[in-house]
Amino acid sequence: MTEKEDLWRAAKLLDGDKAVEEVFSRLEARYVEDWKGSAPDNERKRMEAYYMVRAIDAVRSELTALASEPDILHFNKRLRKA
């Protein structure tokens, strides 16, 4: 087993893990509530919440991409052979 295969396997486990998704959902909800509850003139707090929600989305996307990498590589190899 190569290091990259271990990484893909771990990413697949995390990507499909209900606890991981729950953590992301709770964090996202917390930051959305921070944004909603912030005063209109508290631009700093609003921007921090916005960037945190974006960061959570970016982590989710990267995790999904990493978990899908071996499938994409396999598909591309099949295309090259055809």
Side-chain angles (χ1 to χ4, degrees):
M1 186 89 35
T2 68
E3 197 172 312
K4 198 164 223 168
E5 288 170 331
D6 288 341
L7 183 62
W8 290 337
R9 184 170 283 105
K12 278 190 185 241
L13 289 173
L14 288 174
D15 190 40
D17 190 275
K18 290 181 182 182
V20 171
E21 184 51 40
E22 181 64 22
V23 168
F24 286 151
S25 294
R26 286 181 181 196
L27 287 170
E28 189 172 43
R30 184 180 311 149
Y31 289 116
V32 168
E33 284 304 311
D34 283 352
W35 168 74
K36 286 181 179 179
S38 65
D41 62 340
N42 192 346
E43 186 177 327
R44 182 173 169 258
K45 186 171 184 173
R46 296 168 73 83
M47 290 304 291
E48 284 176 3
Y50 170 78
Y51 287 123
M52 290 304 291
V53 169
R54 295 291 306 250
I56 292 165
D57 188 49
V59 171
R60 275 187 182 129
S61 295
E62 280 302 310
L63 191 55
T64 299
L66 184 59
S68 301
E69 214 169 277
D71 299 328
I72 293 168
L73 290 173
H74 180 71
F75 179 78
N76 287 342
K77 283 181 185 177
R78 285 186 23 221
L79 282 179
R80 280 188 229 128
K81 289 181 181 178

